[in-house]
Amino acid sequence: MNRSLLDVRGLTKHFPGVRALHNVDLLLGAGEVVAVIGENGAGKSTLMKILAGVQPPDAGEVRLNDELIQTATVRDAQKLGIALIHQELNLADNLSVAANIFLGREPRRFGIINFGKMRTDAAQVLDRLRTSIRPDTLVSRLTIGQQQMVEIAKALSVDARILIMDEPTSSLSQHETEQLYEVIADLRDSGVSVIYISHRLGEVRAVADRVVVLRDGENAGALEKEDITHDKMVRLMVGRDVTSLRDRESTNPGEPLLHVRGLQTTAYPEQSVDLEVRAGEIVGIGGLVGAGRTELLETVFGVAARRAGTVEVSGDIVRANHPEDSIASGMALIPEDRKQYALVLEMAVRANLNLARIRYGHRAGFVNRKSESRTSVDMIKRLNVRTPSEAQPVQYLSGGNQQKVVLGKWLSLNPRVLLLDEPTRGIDVGSKQEIYELVEQLARDGAGILFVSSEMEELLGLADRILVMHDGAIAGELARAEATEESVMHLATGAPIPETADV
Ligand SMILES: Nc1ncnc2c1ncn2[C@@H]1O[C@H](COP(=O)(O)OP(=O)(O)OP(=O)(O)O)[C@@H](O)[C@H]1O
Ligand SMILES: [Mg+2]
């Protein structure tokens, strides 16, 4: 294959105290799909932002069809046919889907925005993505997954020759992810090149023609199609083997900690949910995106309106719609949409890590001595947060490292009942293990854990027991020993488990 469409040589980029990229090379051929992988903070997004004109490099050269190019602005890059789908969602909430797709590039007639054309053009790209999102819908009304689809549509609408996707699937459902694969295959067939970034190595295997690995801002190696295996990717990324989830021995759970009875969410008012989590227990919630898992956690915690039902922590009733009551009773929720609910981006890593403790720790009175002595430095080390110092504003951390700070903030509170929504989204393979260990440690110390995950490996590997949701209800429960990918999927799609079907 002709690999000289894009030829990146010696790219270097420093930030104060951080060497983000050092002498990085990258080749990309026409119609080729190259995956760029690496640990959190390895430099992937920085490299892509440089190619897309978001920020300039300190040194290095970029050639497109053998010609030296400069992409000083995003517009320059787009004119050359390079478009980037950002890792963070960057949409204007108060505008329609169509207006977002063409923001700053609105089709005009006699100098006036041609709304009709904008709508039809938007409908066309959305169609290409095989989504049912409508051009006139306000972005604020979309789920995170749908917003991610709009970001993708926005990049597609540029008619790029090189499309860069920075973790495009982190909030997509399985179905949407598969639709994206089809789009990528179409693009490749029409000669468009794709640079694909993901921490989901299964996806990388599915889409990539070649894998380029970055480690600590440098090239760490590359794999040709036939060499792309999970283990080889991990070894190049981390520099060692990572043992995946070991066989966890389910411990005998203790007292019931969290009791949820007859809970009705606003999303699924006709359903009612009962569940219990015991001390020392790790309970997983599986199901497809849209099954009502996030709504369930948010309603239990009180950030989403509860229509009916009771929630108790250690026998104490927790008032509906009062998250501060939930926190006082020892509950913590780590939400799916972390940017919005969980971090103060302008503040330092240290301040963010202590935010929950300062605000709730004392009044709640459940901070034990052990957690008090656990400083932010300790959390940074345990979660392997890559930052030049604890004084660094969180906004300058890489996506995955921001996620770790959110986790650290709540984990350092030592909650009695911990609700986690997609705890390792955007987090690299090595750090995932650290997070699982922290969660297991919390459980061993007597906390009850309820977590939502769309990653089958995580669900099966971490949970003592799995509740599978379908259409807002718990469709079934699986003990660790009987849970398999098939049994979870079976329940998630609304079918009964074969064994119990005729009971
Ligand atoms: N604007 C900035 N100011 C300071 N440091 C930055 C800035 N942007 C990125 N960095 C740092 O550069 C390094 C590389 O970050 P980058 O976002 O490229 O990582 P990444 O490989 O995309 O990681 P992730 O998988 O977590 O998204 C990190 O240490 C990050 O903290
Ligand atoms: Mg990134």
Side-chain angles (χ1 to χ4, degrees), residues 1 32 34 38 77 91 102 111 122 140 143 147 198 225 232 255 286 290 296 314 318 329 339 366 371 378 412 421 481:
M1 184 179 287
E32 194 183 24
V34 169
L91 301 173
F102 292 102
S140 57
T143 63
Q147 292 187 22
S198 180
K225 181 93 189 161
K232 281 186 183 166
E255 294 287 291
L296 176 63
S314 312
V318 178
S329 74
K339 270 270 175 66
F366 58 82
S371 88
D378 183 39
S412 69
D421 200 353

Side-chain angles (χ1 to χ4, degrees), residues 39-46 48-49 87-88 166-167 197 199 397-401 426:
E39 291 183 289
N40 296 130
K44 304 178 295 293
S45 297
T46 303
M48 300 314 151
K49 285 180 193 163
Q87 181 171 11
E88 310 86 35
D166 197 349
E167 296 189 41
I197 297 178
H199 288 290
L397 300 194
S398 77
N401 283 298

Side-chain angles (χ1 to χ4, degrees), residues 29 48 91 110 201 211 297 311 317 341 344 406 452 467 470 476:
M48 300 314 151
L91 301 173
F110 313 120
L201 301 180
V211 170
L297 290 194
V311 174
I317 300 271
Y341 298 117
V344 184
V406 179
V452 165
L467 308 173
H470 173 72

